[in-house]
Amino acid sequence: MTKTLKPLALTLMAAFATVPVHAADLTYSEPAPSYEEPAATSSGFTGAYAGIHAGMSSERINPFAGDKEFMGGIQGGYNTEVNGVIVGGELEYSHLGDTEVDVPRGALIERHRVAAKAKAGAAMGETLLYGTAGMAMTSLRDGNNVEGPDGWKPGYLLGAGVEQNLNANLSAKVEYNYVRTNDVRSFDGVTTSETDVSDHVIKGGVNYKF
């Protein structure tokens, strides 16, 4: 009798010993995959850049009227994206090609300009539409029949433009600027006058993004 019960007892003990292992297998499950938000995609217009520009400068907005001068220069800036809006700042130097601006009894000449501009716009795919505004310093010199301040005068700048990505680093742009310089003194040999002068610039450019 004892010899019969002993193997039976050992078999029962082995069976009970395996029960926790099977229970653990039944309750275990693979961890749920964690959710990862998709990485934010850049519009392609953010970051630092530098470039060149060239175009026409004139006292009159009509490109077919008045004197027009070839102008050109360099620019550099930085853009970032805030809630889907591209915002940034830009520094620009331009040689205005001796653009004439009318004053009483004559005209003065605008030669150089340095501008600090803020930019804001909306990217639509690889195209950016933007507006710009800022401060401009313009150097003026003597012109036709009058003497000018022969120095730098402060003013303001307003404009708009469109920029197109060409590849990951290069973009091309077309931009219009209106620049007004107030209280410019001129002397015609008899009378001293103060005049608000302005010009219109239409330019194209290329930017390299770093």
Side-chain angles (χ1 to χ4, degrees):
M1 190 73 173
T2 305
K3 291 180 180 180
T4 305
L5 291 175
K6 190 172 182 181
L8 179 61
L10 291 173
T11 303
L12 290 173
M13 290 175 63
F16 280 114
T18 60
V19 170
V21 175
H22 292 304
D25 290 342
L26 291 173
T27 57
Y28 176 78
S29 61
E30 292 288 336
S34 59
Y35 172 75
E36 294 184 3
E37 290 189 14
T41 57
S42 171
S43 65
F45 291 99
T46 58
Y49 64 89
I52 59 175
H53 62 266
M56 303 297 292
S57 176
S58 175
E59 185 180 35
R60 295 170 177 80
I61 192 171
N62 184 349
F64 303 104
D67 293 330
K68 296 174 288 295
E69 297 293 339
F70 177 81
M71 57 80 64
I74 58 175
Q75 71 272 352
Y78 186 88
N79 292 330
T80 189
E81 188 169 346
V82 180
N83 296 326
V85 178
I86 304 298
V87 296
E90 182 175 287
L91 294 176
E92 177 185 86
Y93 162 76
S94 301
H95 188 288
L96 299 174
D98 291 351
T99 300
E100 290 189 351
V101 287
D102 291 338
V103 294
R105 293 168 292 279
L108 295 176
I109 291 174
E110 295 177 324
R111 173 157 287 186
H112 305 282
R113 176 169 293 144
V114 177
K117 306 187 291 184
K119 297 169 61 181
M124 296 180 293
E126 298 300 316
T127 304
L128 175 66
L129 301 177
Y130 64 90
T132 185
M135 301 296 295
M137 293 289 292
T138 305
S139 71
L140 295 107
R141 54 194 293 268
D142 300 347
N144 295 332
N145 303 320
V146 293
E147 297 178 1
D150 284 332
W152 294 85
K153 292 287 291 182
Y156 65 86
L157 177 151
L158 299 172
V162 57
E163 188 169 354
Q164 177 70 38
N165 279 332
L166 303 178
N167 56 38
N169 296 106
L170 286 176
S171 64
K173 70 173 185 175
V174 176
E175 184 175 309
Y176 162 78
N177 293 153
Y178 169 79
V179 181
R180 188 172 184 88
T181 307
N182 294 330
D183 302 327
V184 176
R185 285 190 177 183
S186 60
F187 179 65
D188 63 1
V190 178
T191 306
T192 299
S193 304
E194 286 193 353
T195 311
D196 299 339
V197 300
S198 60
D199 63 63
H200 305 268
V201 177
I202 299 175
K203 57 193 172 185
V206 177
N207 286 326
Y208 179 85
K209 290 168 283 185
F210 299 100

